């Protein structure tokens, strides 16, 4: 860009900036440049990562020919070079370089033609290197004009590429060696994007020029990052791969096990062997325990991809700069109802995409299709050229999803909640200090350091949403999807959340957000407008959307969608924006014969470790909730005192002497049912969003259910014992029950009843859709227990009613209590004999207790089935 002294310039990531600098660490509005007092002055605009000149952070700096400015970092951010305009003939247009090869198999990061093999280990960071005349970094120069300039290696593609030229690590598609598949590409071609060139000369001669990258970059097949590490295999028999420093190739990501896999070499045969990792080892997207590999195979370990290249093993790291493309996505349900109708669009790397549309336009369905949770019935999603559905088992750990409901335990502090999430999401061989360091890093990234010790329930809506995002950022996902993150927030918090997403995108990941808010769409790079019927009405820059749709207000657009006669999708498909923003950037997906294989999510921890984490988290949440803790302690005491108010008479009298003898037992049964059910009736439904998300990242369903049964079981059993002792205080009974002291037998029966009622409460919680539905069902279940327990109605010998009573826990509990106290002999029976289940003998008492235990097991089994029903299909493995 040639500078005009008659105007000022805004520099940054904003697509509407005068100079768009699409690089890591660069803020949306990073700096301003103006001509003042006969010189050009660059001023930092309050950027997050600062502006640098000669390695020194500056606020204001005078620039001229030869000045080099670093935006966001001295050498690794967006580097702007200033020079004098040279009046040479313009360079020829960019060249398209075709590539031949087998599509879909070559990993990122190969060198340019003529480049020397990369060194072993991570690439060294050094000062900017010289670039041949007229090339500059990332195609940012004026297409071959001017003298040599300084540029950073690895910044992108020059406007014209010839064999042996250009900075390393650009991944321009080239022809690979014979017999080793293609070169560093997936096939196809890359069309470099020329820099923007502005014309007018400046004061007193040629002005300085600036260089920048395209706003939204679509990665072509073969255009990847440079290798992260290279291992020479000459003479080696075993190459160990893992997170521990003693491995031959170290992958520092916490998702990778300390000892993850081994490459074993014998007689020229290479074999990859998984050595007990948690997230698994993948060959061409398929999880393997042991497999032979060739130079055509891709080995996936966590965020890294490995490939044999001659006598070397090369690692390519997924740093987050990925491209996502949706190809002809179609979803139908029921009797042919279309939720998504042939949806196609690309999302460039480090792009912030907003998805809007009226209710019922398929936004949430599209989000589930893009994340792979509910694959489209037709079409495919590609992740940097790879079929997401086919390779989902390997790629799903690189995808983060923040649902509309907060995935937080609000009783915990921010840091404590993140620490527990880290325990569940990282392998159990991850040390505690490593998890805490990652948690602290995420807190700093999202500006939550000052809130880390606050309870989540005390945070504002926007801060809670930041914590939900922090949970997903723990695993450093390359793709981050959010469903209605600003729902229910005021305009200020809405803007704060969107600015946070803007920053996350700038830091090096692709972010897609479904939203109903249209106030801050200008922050986004791309906007997708969905029309009713799951069709695309517009895709492109946000500032071009309203003019294209023919309105000045989004409310009018949404009202116009009710016009069924207008073909929104057809109009857009025939428009210039479609050709510019979709057709020009789409890459036809590679057809591969291997079918899509859905696998159960892999557990990051062993089952006992998961259970331990869940139990500790649950107990800490209960202790932190003082109101719930107080009610838990007070409820059995209050119920026991109420039992003392009811007249019971003498429980040691002669036969047929006490008509009120069953009153005490009735209160004990109802108290046990209420305390058990009330503890659990909301427990699962209130955590449904949390469970679904944690299940997607490897949570064991059985460990989750067992944690509830264990913690709530201990609480309800203790409550049953307290209730029994308070109610029976100073009550005269026989000295011996069925086989031991009456108070012991009564406590066992009430405790088992409370536990069984707790499992029934969990079943109610698993059945309902909202917490509001639990209370009516709790009242109904309690009334059923009251009627069918046998204290108010004689059930023996009454068809239907007796059979129904067998399914009621209170029926068996009251029978066991009556057997202990021999209540059947105390109550006068004019016509009916005593209930046979009330007999004071061990066989009958054991039958009553066994029936309670069976009902609790059946209820727990049904809860597990209901949990499975609420999971997306991709999670319904073992």
């Amino acid at each position: 860009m040639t500078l005009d002294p008659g105007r000022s310039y805004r520099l940054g990531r904003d697509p509407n900036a005068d100079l768009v600098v699409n690089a890591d660490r660069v803020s949306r509005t990073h700096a301003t440049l103006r001509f003042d007092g006969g010189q050009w002055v660059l001023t930092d605009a309050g950027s997050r990562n600062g502006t640098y000149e000669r390695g020194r952070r500056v606020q204001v700096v005078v620039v001229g020919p030869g000045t080099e400015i670093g935006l966001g970092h001295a050498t690794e951010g967006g580097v702007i070079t200033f020079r004098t305009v040279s009046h040479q003939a313009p360079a020829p247009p960019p060249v398209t370089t075709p590539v031949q090869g087998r599509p879909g198999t070559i990993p990122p990061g190969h060198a340019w033609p003529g480049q020397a093999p990369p060194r072993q280990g991570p690439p060294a960071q050094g000062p900017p290197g010289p670039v041949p005349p007229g090339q500059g970094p990332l195609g940012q120069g004026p297409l071959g004009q001017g003298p040599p300039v300084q540029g950073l290696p690895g910044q992108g593609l020059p406007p014209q590429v010839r064999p042996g030229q250009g900075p390393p690590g650009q991944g321009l598609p080239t022809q690979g060696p014979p017999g080793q598949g293609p070169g560093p590409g997936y096939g196809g071609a890359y069309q470099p994007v020329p820099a923007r060139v502005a014309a007018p000369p400046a004061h007193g001669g040629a002005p300085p020029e600036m260089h920048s990258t395209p706003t939204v970059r679509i990665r072509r097949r073969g255009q990847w990052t440079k290798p992260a590490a290279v291992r020479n295999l000459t003479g080696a028999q075993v190459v160990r791969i893992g997170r521990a420093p003693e491995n031959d190739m170290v992958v520092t990501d916490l998702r990778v096990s300390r000892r993850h896999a081994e490459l074993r070499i014998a007689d020229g045969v290479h074999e990859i062997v998984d050595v007990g990792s948690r997230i698994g080892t993948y060959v061409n997207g398929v999880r393997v325990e042991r497999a032979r590999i060739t130079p055509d195979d891709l080995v996936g370990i966590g965020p890294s991809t490995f490939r044999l290249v001659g006598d070397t093993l090369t690692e390519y790291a997924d740093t987050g700069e990925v491209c996502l493309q949706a190809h002809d996505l179609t979803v139908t349900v029921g009797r042919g109802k279309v939720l998504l109708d042939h949806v196609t669009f690309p999302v460039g790397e480090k792009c912030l995409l907003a998805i809007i549309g009226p209710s019922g336009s398929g936004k949430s369905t599209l989000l589930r299709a893009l994340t792979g949770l509910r694959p489209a019935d037709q079409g495919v999603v590609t992740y940097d050229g790879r079929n997401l559905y086919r390779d989902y088992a390997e790629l799903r750990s690189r995808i983060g999803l923040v649902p509309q409901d907060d995935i937080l335990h609000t009783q915990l502090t921010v840091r404590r909640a993140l620490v527990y999430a880290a325990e569940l999401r990282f392998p159990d061989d991850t040390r505690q200090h490593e998890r805490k360091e990652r948690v602290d890093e995420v807190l700093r990234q999202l500006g939550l350091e000052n809130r880390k010790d606050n309870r989540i329930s005390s945070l504002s809506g926007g801060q809670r949403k930041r914590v939900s995002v922090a949970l997903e950022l723990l695993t450093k996902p390359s793709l981050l999807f959010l469903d209605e993150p600003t729902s229910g927030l005021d305009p200020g918090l809405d803007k704060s959340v969107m600015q946070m997403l803007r920053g996350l995108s700038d830091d090096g990941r692709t972010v897609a957000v479904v939203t109903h808010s249209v106030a801050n769409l200008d922050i986004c790079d791309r906007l997708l407008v969905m029309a009713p019927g799951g069709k695309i009405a517009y895709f492109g820059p946000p500032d071009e959307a309203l003019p294209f749709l023919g309105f000045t207000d989004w409310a009018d657009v949404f009202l116009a969608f009710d016009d069924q006669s207008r073909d929104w999708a057809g109009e857009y498909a025939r428009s210039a924006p479609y050709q510019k923003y979709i057709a020009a950037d789409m890459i036809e997906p590679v057809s591969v014969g291997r079918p899509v294989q859905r696998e159960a999510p892999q557990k990051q921890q062993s089952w006992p470790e998961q259970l331990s984490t869940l139990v500790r988290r649950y107990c800490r949440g209960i202790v932190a909730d003082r109101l719930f803790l107080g009610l838990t302690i007070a409820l059995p005491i209050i119920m026991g005192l109420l039992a003392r108010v009811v007249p019971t008479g003498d429980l040691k009298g002669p036969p047929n002497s006490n008509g009120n003898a069953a009153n005490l037992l009735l209160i004990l049964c109802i108290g046990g049912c209420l305390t058990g059910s009330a503890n659990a009736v909301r427990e699962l439904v209130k955590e449904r969003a949390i469970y679904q998300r944690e299940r997607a990242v490897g949570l064991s369903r059985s460990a989750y259910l067992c944690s509830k049964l264990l913690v709530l079981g201990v609480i309800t059993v203790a409550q049953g014992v307290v209730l029994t002792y308070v109610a029976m205080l100073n009550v005269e009974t026989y000295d011996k029950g069925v086989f031991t002291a009456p108070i012991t037998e009564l406590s066992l029966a009430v405790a088992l009843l409370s536990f069984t009622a707790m499992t029934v409460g969990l079943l109610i919680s698993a059945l309902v859709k909202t917490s509001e539905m639990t209370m009516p069902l709790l009242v109904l279940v309690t009334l059923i227990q009251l009627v069918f327990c046998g204290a108010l109605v004689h059930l023996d010998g009454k068809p239907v009613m007796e059979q129904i009573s067998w399914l009621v826990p209170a029926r068996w509990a009251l029978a066991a209590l009556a057997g202990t106290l021999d209540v059947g002999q105390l109550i006068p029976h004019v016509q009916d004999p005593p209930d046979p289940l009330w007999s004071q003998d061990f066989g009958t008492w054991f039958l009553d207790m066994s029936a309670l235990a069976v009902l609790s097991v059946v209820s727990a089994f049904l809860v597990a089935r209901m949990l499975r029903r609420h999971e997306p299909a991709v999670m319904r493995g073992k």
Side-chain angles (χ1 to χ4, degrees), residues 377-397:
D377 301 321
Q378 174 184 322
V380 68
V381 177
T382 57
Y383 178 105
D384 263 351
R386 299 179 63 180
N387 187 328
L388 177 64
Y389 297 160
R390 188 193 67 224
D391 299 344
Y392 184 72
E394 176 186 351
L395 299 177
R396 64 182 158 207
S397 63

Side-chain angles (χ1 to χ4, degrees), residues 255 278-279 424-428 602-605 697:
R255 290 170 289 179
R278 284 295 176 190
I279 63 172
L424 291 173
R425 298 183 183 217
F426 294 133
D428 45 14
Q602 302 302 320
K603 301 178 181 64
Q604 301 303 308
Q605 292 181 310
V697 296

Side-chain angles (χ1 to χ4, degrees), residues 769-827:
K769 294 183 178 180
T770 63
S771 297
E772 290 74 15
M773 299 173 63
T774 58
M775 285 300 103
L777 289 177
L778 177 61
V779 173
L780 177 62
V781 169
T782 304
L783 288 176
I784 292 174
Q785 305 274 357
L786 179 63
V787 172
F788 287 93
C789 68
L792 302 179
V793 180
H794 190 80
L795 298 171
D796 182 47
K798 292 186 177 181
V800 181
M801 290 191 65
E802 182 179 13
Q803 285 70 42
I804 293 176
S805 71
W806 296 344
L807 303 177
V808 176
R811 167 80 162 114
W812 302 100
L814 188 135
L817 296 172
T820 295
L821 299 177
D822 200 13
V823 172
Q825 297 300 318
L826 296 176
I827 299 176

Side-chain angles (χ1 to χ4, degrees), residues 598-610:
R598 314 303 290 179
E599 298 181 13
Q602 302 302 320
K603 301 178 181 64
Q604 301 303 308
Q605 292 181 310
S606 64
W607 194 92
E609 288 290 338
Q610 283 199 356

Side-chain angles (χ1 to χ4, degrees), residues 378-450:
Q378 174 184 322
V380 68
V381 177
T382 57
Y383 178 105
D384 263 351
R386 299 179 63 180
N387 187 328
L388 177 64
Y389 297 160
R390 188 193 67 224
D391 299 344
Y392 184 72
E394 176 186 351
L395 299 177
R396 64 182 158 207
S397 63
R398 309 181 192 183
I399 300 173
L401 173 62
V402 181
Q404 183 174 351
D405 298 324
D406 289 332
I407 47 177
L408 307 167
H409 290 87
T410 57
Q411 302 88 358
L412 302 177
T413 64
V414 171
R415 191 171 189 273
R416 179 62 60 182
L418 294 179
V419 168
Y420 284 131
E423 289 186 19
L424 291 173
R425 298 183 183 217
F426 294 133
D428 45 14
D429 64 356
T430 307
R431 295 189 174 96
Q432 188 70 3
H433 74 87
E434 293 177 306
R435 298 183 186 126
K436 291 182 177 180
E437 288 173 359
R438 179 57 189 156
V439 167
D440 293 336
E441 181 182 347
V442 171
L443 290 173
R444 288 193 298 270
Q445 183 179 3
L446 294 180
L448 290 170
E449 286 182 292
N450 296 332

Side-chain angles (χ1 to χ4, degrees), residues 640-771:
L641 294 175
L642 290 176
R644 301 300 305 276
V645 177
V646 178
T648 59
D650 186 6
L651 298 182
K652 294 179 63 175
N656 297 323
S657 63
N658 188 352
N660 296 322
N663 291 345
L664 177 62
L665 307 186
L666 179 62
I667 295 299
L668 287 175
C669 283
I670 298 305
C673 291
L674 279 176
T675 53
S677 299
N679 288 338
V681 75
R682 291 188 176 182
E683 199 58 42
L684 300 182
V685 66
K686 74 178 183 181
E687 292 186 357
R688 185 159 297 159
I690 300 174
Y691 170 72
Q692 289 175 339
R693 185 60 198 138
E694 291 182 343
R695 180 79 175 107
V697 296
L699 177 67
S700 167
R701 185 190 308 125
S702 59
Y704 177 77
L705 178 56
C706 284
S707 71
K708 298 298 182 185
L709 294 174
L710 182 60
V711 176
L712 289 176
V714 170
I715 293 174
T716 54
V717 166
Q719 286 178 320
V721 173
V722 172
L723 169 62
T724 304
Y725 273 87
V726 173
M728 297 300 296
L729 189 64
N730 295 327
V731 175
E732 294 291 334
T733 64
Y734 293 104
D735 295 335
K736 185 175 170 74
V738 175
F739 66 96
T740 186
I743 190 64
T744 302
E745 293 182 14
L746 295 175
S747 298
L748 288 174
V750 175
L752 184 54
L753 171 63
S754 298
F755 184 88
T756 306
M758 179 267 295
T759 62
V760 173
L762 288 177
L763 181 58
I764 294 173
S765 189
L767 282 169
V768 298
K769 294 183 178 180
T770 63
S771 297

Side-chain angles (χ1 to χ4, degrees), residues 248-259:
D248 301 305
M249 298 192 76
V250 179
V251 182
T252 58
D253 193 278
L254 292 183
R255 290 170 289 179
V256 177
S257 298
R258 296 183 64 81
R259 292 185 66 250

